[in-house]
Amino acid sequence: MERIRPFWRIMREGHLVKRLISYSIFSGAFLALQKKGDAEVIYTDIEPDVILDVAGEGYYLDINNDGINDIHFFNSSFDFFVSNTPWWSYWTRRDIIAELDHLDIEMAGFKHFQYYFSFYAYYAFALSNESFINEGLNFFNGEKQILAIETYVHSGTLLLNQEGYWFPEQLDHYLGFRLINGSEENFYGWIRCDVKDEGRTLIIKDYAYESQPEHGIVAGDTISYVNIIESLNNFVPVVYSFNNSVFIQMKELTNKTNVNIYNLQGQLIYTEEIFNAINEIELKNYNGLYVIEILAGKNRYVKKIFLN
């Protein structure tokens, strides 16, 4: 059944579209973290950043490089006029939109029923760094996802409303999305953006998605955070950090157990085979967030740790 196209869809005609080439970057250490069948984050840096600061500019994004555009970002500021009745007019002065090009992609956000026009408006969340993007969020297609919008009536002279989680400005925040394949499996991901100039400018910087279905992703990170994979014996070690030390307590050591620690760029900074039930690893000169991976036979445990 053909989808009904809302009245705003006509505004795509005549848009200037920026088609930029993006590339994926992986370090050898990052690839070493992943095992066949395990979770893996596919990260792409957009270089240079996409900047949409002129009315009518747009950018098509093919997230998984399958030749099908997934999202059309566009800036329709100052170019959208609709006459609804003989005595008043409706003018959207600033309008930053992420338009979903097919039903197999959804974006995390909120929907609101517009009673006057009898349709739902969809507002994409501006997620902060380290937000979890998984089945706990509400995802919608809805075609048009509003980031920032400012609306005037009477030919742009009377302010009607200002809406959107990105209005008037959000820097280094994240759009959460999920891709859906033919088997109805969900692949979660993020897109890092800026909205500036009171909703006039959109900057798209980079994005990533989890290649393992039904596993969430952390906004801004390029490493999988799957706590237990193929765990046969309830493999959940106790792991915590204090200052520059990492403490690991194992319930039992029946297999060869290896500890790997990575930075958030996927580079291996420490590796060791452990033989004790209680272990302390001291990491001098390291500060910030890191990822610890513990491998014991077919069991794998991954956790984020903080060193200072």
Side-chain angles (χ1 to χ4, degrees):
M1 182 176 66
E2 184 178 357
R3 305 167 85 181
I4 298 174
R5 314 303 270 181
F7 69 88
W8 52 263
R9 192 65 178 249
I10 61 173
M11 291 311 303
R12 289 191 58 181
E13 299 299 326
H15 278 179
L16 172 65
V17 176
K18 292 183 176 178
R19 297 178 179 269
L20 303 182
I21 298 174
S22 61
Y23 62 92
S24 297
I25 57 173
F26 303 97
S27 68
F30 171 71
L31 291 177
L33 172 62
Q34 315 300 343
K35 306 195 301 293
K36 184 178 180 180
D38 284 354
E40 178 181 338
V41 170
I42 308 301
Y43 171 74
T44 302
D45 185 19
I46 300 176
E47 182 61 39
D49 295 342
V50 173
I51 301 176
L52 305 180
D53 58 355
V54 175
E57 287 185 323
Y59 173 68
Y60 284 101
L61 181 60
D62 176 5
I63 292 172
N64 54 359
N65 289 318
D66 63 354
I68 300 174
N69 292 323
D70 299 302
I71 304 176
H72 175 211
F73 293 95
F74 64 93
N75 181 346
S76 63
S77 301
F78 304 101
D79 69 349
F80 184 12
F81 178 83
V82 176
S83 178
N84 291 282
T85 69
W87 59 87
W88 71 280
S89 60
Y90 181 91
W91 186 296
T92 300
R93 296 294 300 272
R94 300 168 188 165
D95 196 351
I96 301 294
I97 299 299
E99 184 178 19
L100 306 183
D101 284 349
H102 53 79
L103 289 172
D104 296 331
I105 182 169
E106 297 176 337
M107 194 163 287
F110 171 78
K111 70 175 182 179
H112 174 67
F113 188 71
Q114 303 281 10
Y115 288 96
Y116 186 85
F117 297 104
S118 297
F119 69 89
Y120 281 102
Y122 296 86
Y123 299 91
F125 289 147
L127 300 173
S128 59
N129 187 43
E130 299 187 18
S131 296
F132 287 101
I133 303 171
N134 54 25
E135 70 279 0
L137 295 174
N138 290 321
F139 291 85
F140 303 99
N141 182 271
E143 296 185 349
K144 175 186 177 184
Q145 301 285 331
I146 297 171
L147 279 69
I149 186 170
E150 188 170 57
T151 308
Y152 289 81
V153 295
H154 298 299
S155 299
T157 60
L158 177 64
L159 177 64
L160 178 63
N161 67 328
Q162 297 169 326
E163 296 179 327
Y165 291 101
W166 297 76
F167 189 91
E169 180 173 283
Q170 292 282 8
L171 304 180
D172 285 323
H173 278 62
Y174 298 85
L175 295 165
F177 67 85
R178 66 180 177 189
L179 294 168
I180 307 169
N181 66 11
S183 301
E184 298 298 318
E185 295 175 315
N186 298 305
F187 300 83
Y188 296 95
W190 55 261
I191 304 169
R192 184 165 62 107
C193 304
D194 290 344
V195 169
K196 303 172 64 175
D197 306 325
E198 295 187 342
R200 287 192 177 100
T201 299
L202 171 66
I203 302 175
I204 310 168
K205 298 180 176 182
D206 53 3
Y207 61 94
Y209 70 94
E210 173 62 71
S211 67
Q212 184 80 352
E214 310 305 338
H215 287 299
I217 190 171
V218 177
D221 286 350
T222 58
I223 295 179
S224 298
Y225 295 105
V226 182
N227 285 340
I228 304 171
I229 294 180
E230 298 180 8
S231 179
L232 302 179
N233 303 300
N234 295 321
F235 180 69
V236 185
V238 176
V239 178
Y240 63 95
S241 58
F242 181 74
N243 292 334
N244 284 101
S245 293
V246 180
F247 298 89
I248 303 170
Q249 181 176 347
M250 309 290 296
K251 293 182 179 180
E252 58 183 28
L253 286 172
T254 58
N255 298 295
K256 178 181 178 180
T257 302
N258 289 96
V259 175
N260 300 315
I261 299 177
Y262 301 84
N263 62 23
L264 294 187
Q265 287 71 49
Q267 298 167 327
L268 181 66
I269 67 166
Y270 181 89
T271 184
E272 180 186 359
E273 183 178 355
I274 60 175
F275 302 92
N276 302 314
I278 298 177
N279 306 268
E280 179 182 355
I281 299 172
E282 188 175 0
L283 296 170
K284 295 181 178 179
N285 302 320
Y286 287 99
N287 296 282
L289 288 170
Y290 295 86
V291 177
I292 184 169
E293 176 190 45
I294 301 175
L295 301 171
K298 292 185 177 180
N299 298 303
R300 176 173 180 254
Y301 179 85
V302 179
K303 182 179 180 179
K304 187 180 293 186
I305 56 175
F306 182 76
L307 303 174
N308 60 4

